[in-house]
Amino acid sequence: LVNIMTPRGKVTMQYYSLPGATVASVLVGGIGGNFDTPARLLYPKLGTELLNEGFVTLRIQFRDPHNLDESVYDVATGLTFLHTESIGSVGLVGHSFGGAVVIRAASLDTSVSAVVTLASQSYGAGGASDLGPRCALLLIHGSRDSILPQIASEHIFALAKEPKRISIYQSASHNLDEAAEEVYEEVKEWLVHWVRDRT
């Protein structure tokens, strides 16, 4: 674990480190706090497997997982840490509430070249219109999401500029467990293409 003291309190992160890496992913959950992970342990799997693609990964635990501004601050703290580690290009991944968090954080930091949202809320995600063309946006949602309907991601998609993609997984619920393997492959491919291969 990496603990970073900020003027607003301590931000706790899990760091999958790789000496010499120049690209990174940052993974955040939703309002549950802690180290949430959707899609059957997607985040620890990505953290481990992306090492083989040359990525370091940060999983960030929100200090106040109901406060959008504070959670964006937590992600910005993680990005500052990565900059001190000589990371040049970053992809952000957020689930549910975290989807809006990573969209806003990406709109404020030009080192972010890709964003992935998983079953994102639309509230707070207006910054999607500021991402393209510098930052590629992938929106993933389940058609049977009873927490946040797929229209939330469709609304964000309509706001966003290219490059962008939306994937609706049929019969998948809010946590996307039913499509876990397909979600893993799509998220990994998006990060490798837009964060590593395009830099």
Side-chain angles (χ1 to χ4, degrees), residues 53-74:
E53 305 291 344
F55 282 69
V56 299
T57 293
L58 275 184
R59 294 178 63 195
I60 298 175
Q61 183 174 338
F62 294 140
R63 291 169 298 115
D64 181 358
H66 295 86
N67 186 310
L68 188 66
D69 290 338
E70 290 300 312
S71 298
V72 171
Y73 181 85
D74 294 342

Side-chain angles (χ1 to χ4, degrees), residues 62-126:
F62 294 140
R63 291 169 298 115
D64 181 358
H66 295 86
N67 186 310
L68 188 66
D69 290 338
E70 290 300 312
S71 298
V72 171
Y73 181 85
D74 294 342
V75 173
T77 298
L79 289 169
T80 299
F81 168 78
L82 290 172
H83 298 158
T84 68
E85 296 281 289
S86 301
I87 299 299
S89 183
V90 185
L92 305 182
V93 182
H95 177 237
S96 194
F97 164 79
V101 173
V102 295
I103 285 172
R104 184 175 291 184
S107 71
L108 301 172
D109 190 314
T110 57
S111 73
V112 179
S113 52
V115 167
V116 179
T117 68
L118 307 165
S120 181
Q121 67 180 42
S122 56
Y123 176 78

Side-chain angles (χ1 to χ4, degrees), residues 1-5 10-17 35 57-61 81 85:
L1 290 179
V2 174
N3 291 303
I4 297 180
M5 292 305 302
K10 181 175 70 175
V11 180
T12 300
M13 302 177 282
Q14 290 181 349
Y15 186 37
Y16 299 77
S17 63
F35 290 111
T57 293
L58 275 184
R59 294 178 63 195
I60 298 175
Q61 183 174 338
F81 168 78
E85 296 281 289

Side-chain angles (χ1 to χ4, degrees), residues 130-175:
D130 300 324
L131 298 182
R134 131 181 103 74
C135 179
L137 176 62
L138 169 63
L139 301 145
I140 292 177
H141 221 107
S143 66
R144 294 195 177 177
D145 190 333
S146 61
I147 309 295
L148 291 164
Q150 71 183 55
I151 195 171
S153 285
E154 291 168 348
H155 173 73
I156 299 168
F157 183 76
L159 289 176
K161 303 180 182 76
E162 295 287 351
K164 61 181 180 177
R165 183 163 83 204
I166 186 168
S167 295
I168 305 297
Y169 283 88
Q170 298 304 314
S171 302
S173 59
H174 186 61
N175 278 333

